[in-house]
Amino acid sequence: MSRILPLFNQEAQLVKALKRAEPKAQRQLYEKYASRMLGVCMRYAPDHMIAEDILVEGFMKVFDKIDQFKSEGSFEGWMRRIMVNESLGYLRKRRQIPETADMTEAECISDNSLADEALEAEEMMQMIATLPPGYRAVFNLYAIEGYSHAEIAEKLSITESTSKSQLHRARALLQQRVTDWEEEFKKKVAYEEATY
Amino acid sequence: MKKQPIDDLFAKKLTNWEPKVSPDLWVKIEAKQKKKSRHLGGWFWSVAASLTLLLTTGYLLWQNQPTILTGSEKEIVQTEIKRLDIAPAEEKGIASSVNSTIETAATEESTQKKPETNNAQRYAVASQSATSAENLTETAHPRVRELVKIAAIERKAVESEALVAEISEPSLSQTIEVLAAVSKADVVSENRIIRANVDWDEPGKAEERKDSRFAKIIQQLKNVKQGEVVDWKEVGFNPKKILARADEKIRNEEDKVSRKYQEFKGKTKL
């Protein structure tokens, strides 16, 4: 791939080439972003295989809709939105987005400094995967993608209050998982120190 | 709603998380891309092919239309030529006779002359080479030369008869006589008959010619609008006939259905 990469050094050039539907440019785009975009899809999809299927569809859409990309915003942001929409489309098909609101409030103020240092992305993904699909989608959209509750409500066809309550619930659950992990981690460290 | 530490914790690690992608994934995308482009390609070519066919058919119909329409009204010059070998001296003689337009070498006065026309129709039977025949038609009349269309070329193995030219033109005061000397003995090579339909305009009939089929149909439509009798011959088809055909077809179809139904009924009874 290193031979292809230097062909389109700048993103603007790459976008132009993509608009001409050049196979080399498409390949280069894939090489550059496939992994990161798979990360996006995996946060929503139930498993790795499905995430890859969503990724394939997402790339097809990127190649098809490239003419709609206005060079005002970031290209990666545009691609990421496509991947998120594809993922939500999949969840909608599977009806994995609950429409009812769960108004349980949860306080989840915590330090998380230990987790911030030692918690790996894969472990975080495992934590996210344990969330119910609706909570998971709302948490991903709000906390990681940075959408507002109004946008989330529109995307998932739910009310804003549902979005807010699901976010609270997701946070509480995740916080609980992180706290559990921290305790386990501390125990592990203590045990290792004792053995030396 | 403000972001909380737990949000930041996950956002920090997962926003740019890059898990490993299966190595064969690009192949999947490529295959889908190709499939899509093939679909588009097929669609494009089928449209292009049908358009070409449509245009060609339209052009051919349009080309043939004036001949059909004017065939009965206009003079047709039919020239049947047998390709023969002729001595150059004879050719010269023919050319000079054509230029003078009234020289007759060996002719047979037409017995099939139409009584209602005052045309001078003559059949000249002559043996002539193909090249001299072309010269003949070209030099016989300048207007003829402009409008000569060779409609069909047929090959026939006929005995050595010669050029049979049939020319009629009512507007001409002078008769055009096609002539040539008969020389059966000179027949040497391949026998070939070229039939040429030649149409030419006459000044008086020039306006009539503009009456295209379209104009005729428009005229008949006007007749319909004004409640007058419609001349279907002018239009070129008779709707009654078309309806009759359709009725027949439908009836046949009904027969088929009813027969099948009867058979089915018979089977179920058993």
Side-chain angles (χ1 to χ4, degrees):
Chain A
M1 241 337 85
S2 54
R3 281 182 205 162
I4 297 171
L5 282 170
L7 284 172
F8 307 103
N9 287 326
Q10 293 190 348
E11 201 168 78
Q13 276 182 312
L14 180 65
V15 171
K16 271 187 185 176
L18 285 169
K19 284 184 178 177
R20 290 193 296 269
E22 285 180 23
K24 275 183 185 175
Q26 291 177 345
R27 181 71 196 258
Q28 189 185 328
L29 185 84
Y30 173 81
E31 295 295 333
K32 193 176 175 186
Y33 290 110
S35 188
R36 198 173 293 179
M37 294 303 135
L38 181 67
V40 175
C41 298
M42 277 184 72
R43 277 192 277 114
Y44 294 88
D47 59 54
H48 193 278
M49 288 277 282
I50 292 169
E52 285 194 339
D53 286 346
I54 295 169
L55 184 74
V56 169
E57 291 303 319
F59 266 104
M60 293 295 292
K61 200 153 268 182
V62 167
F63 297 150
D64 281 352
K65 311 266 178 186
I66 188 72
D67 286 325
Q68 290 176 16
F69 172 68
K70 307 275 186 300
S71 305
E72 294 155 3
S74 107
F75 182 69
E76 191 188 331
W78 180 75
M79 262 186 91
R80 192 179 278 267
R81 279 196 294 281
I82 287 180
M83 296 300 168
V84 168
N85 286 341
E86 277 298 309
S87 305
L88 294 179
Y90 170 83
L91 294 179
R92 214 172 286 124
K93 269 186 208 164
R94 292 292 180 97
R95 292 179 184 172
Q96 287 184 340
I97 299 170
E99 289 165 18
T100 50
D102 184 347
M103 295 304 287
T104 318
E105 290 289 323
E107 284 301 313
C108 45
I109 310 295
S110 178
D111 182 17
N112 297 327
S113 56
L114 184 63
D116 194 21
E117 276 178 38
L119 192 59
E120 294 294 324
E122 282 75 14
E123 288 169 309
M124 285 183 164
M125 276 304 299
Q126 282 171 8
M127 289 177 189
I128 284 183
T130 59
L131 293 175
Y135 296 179
R136 185 176 169 177
V138 173
F139 180 79
N140 273 326
L141 289 168
Y142 188 89
I144 302 172
E145 258 74 63
Y147 286 71
S148 70
H149 280 297
E151 286 171 317
I152 294 167
E154 197 191 327
K155 277 193 179 295
L156 302 182
S157 308
I158 54 173
T159 61
E160 272 190 58
S161 62
T162 306
S163 172
K164 282 176 187 171
S165 70
Q166 286 188 347
L167 177 69
H168 268 287
R169 191 76 190 127
R171 276 172 176 165
L173 288 168
L174 286 175
Q175 187 60 61
Q176 188 58 52
R177 307 265 189 286
V178 171
T179 310
D180 290 349
W181 177 86
E182 280 179 330
E183 279 175 14
E184 281 290 313
F185 187 77
K186 278 175 189 169
K187 276 183 194 171
K188 208 173 162 185
V189 170
Y191 176 76
E192 278 173 5
E193 279 173 356
T195 50
Y196 280 110
Chain B
M1 197 178 275
K2 282 180 186 175
K3 281 212 170 190
Q4 296 204 357
I6 189 83
D7 295 0
D8 292 333
L9 175 73
F10 277 84
K12 197 177 166 187
K13 298 243 169 129
L14 293 182
T15 304
N16 293 322
W17 177 51
E18 296 186 358
K20 211 178 173 187
V21 184
S22 303
D24 62 335
L25 209 63
W26 173 251
V27 182
K28 272 188 190 177
I29 295 174
E30 221 172 15
K32 279 203 170 195
Q33 286 271 93
K34 274 181 187 170
K35 202 177 171 188
K36 205 168 187 183
S37 63
R38 210 182 300 139
H39 270 292
L40 281 172
W43 184 82
F44 173 78
W45 283 114
S46 64
V47 167
S50 45
L51 257 176
T52 315
L53 194 73
L54 206 74
L55 287 171
T56 317
T57 319
Y59 178 74
L60 286 172
L61 285 172
W62 178 76
Q63 278 284 79
N64 292 333
Q65 203 177 344
T67 320
I68 295 158
L69 278 175
T70 55
S72 58
E73 296 165 12
K74 306 293 173 186
E75 280 68 39
I76 298 164
V77 177
Q78 285 185 333
T79 318
E80 288 184 7
I81 300 156
K82 282 211 160 177
R83 197 166 209 184
L84 303 164
D85 210 13
I86 264 186
E90 218 167 34
E91 273 183 47
K92 273 186 183 178
I94 290 155
S96 62
S97 67
V98 167
N99 286 336
S100 61
T101 65
I102 314 176
E103 256 182 60
T104 315
T107 56
E108 246 181 55
E109 194 70 44
S110 169
T111 50
Q112 294 167 8
K113 193 175 177 181
K114 290 176 185 174
E116 69 272 14
T117 56
N118 296 322
N119 308 348
Q121 281 186 335
R122 292 195 180 204
Y123 288 89
V125 182
S127 72
Q128 208 171 347
S129 72
T131 49
S132 66
E134 280 166 20
N135 285 337
L136 176 76
T137 47
E138 279 174 14
T139 52
H141 196 284
R143 282 181 290 169
V144 176
R145 189 174 51 194
E146 285 169 17
L147 293 158
V148 164
K149 288 175 187 172
I150 295 172
I153 298 171
E154 299 166 11
R155 279 174 180 271
K156 284 183 185 176
V158 190
E159 285 175 20
S160 66
E161 285 187 349
L163 166 75
V164 179
E166 188 183 324
I167 301 173
S168 62
E169 189 187 7
S171 69
L172 288 176
S173 56
Q174 288 181 326
T175 57
I176 298 168
E177 289 171 16
V178 182
L179 38 104
V182 183
S183 67
K184 288 184 182 178
D186 288 330
V187 179
V188 176
S189 66
E190 63 184 62
N191 295 325
R192 190 176 178 188
I193 291 179
I194 299 170
R195 173 175 283 174
N197 291 337
V198 182
D199 294 6
W200 64 78
D201 280 324
E202 291 162 53
K205 291 191 176 179
E207 281 179 23
E208 279 176 35
R209 212 158 198 261
K210 285 178 184 172
D211 262 5
S212 65
R213 187 172 186 170
F214 182 70
K216 281 177 185 173
I217 291 168
I218 291 289
Q219 182 59 45
Q220 295 311 316
L221 279 172
K222 276 180 188 171
N223 284 357
V224 173
K225 202 179 173 186
Q226 287 161 7
E228 289 173 16
V229 184
V230 180
D231 186 0
W232 290 108
K233 278 182 187 172
E234 287 284 285
V235 180
F237 64 89
N238 195 337
K240 284 178 186 172
K241 283 183 183 174
I242 293 165
L243 277 174
R245 275 184 210 159
D247 287 344
E248 200 175 17
K249 205 176 180 183
I250 288 163
R251 209 185 299 140
N252 286 338
E253 289 296 316
E254 276 176 355
D255 286 346
K256 272 185 195 170
V257 170
S258 62
R259 208 178 303 132
K260 275 184 185 173
Y261 177 66
Q262 289 302 331
E263 281 171 16
F264 177 70
K265 223 177 169 183
K267 278 180 185 173
T268 48
K269 272 179 186 174
L270 286 168

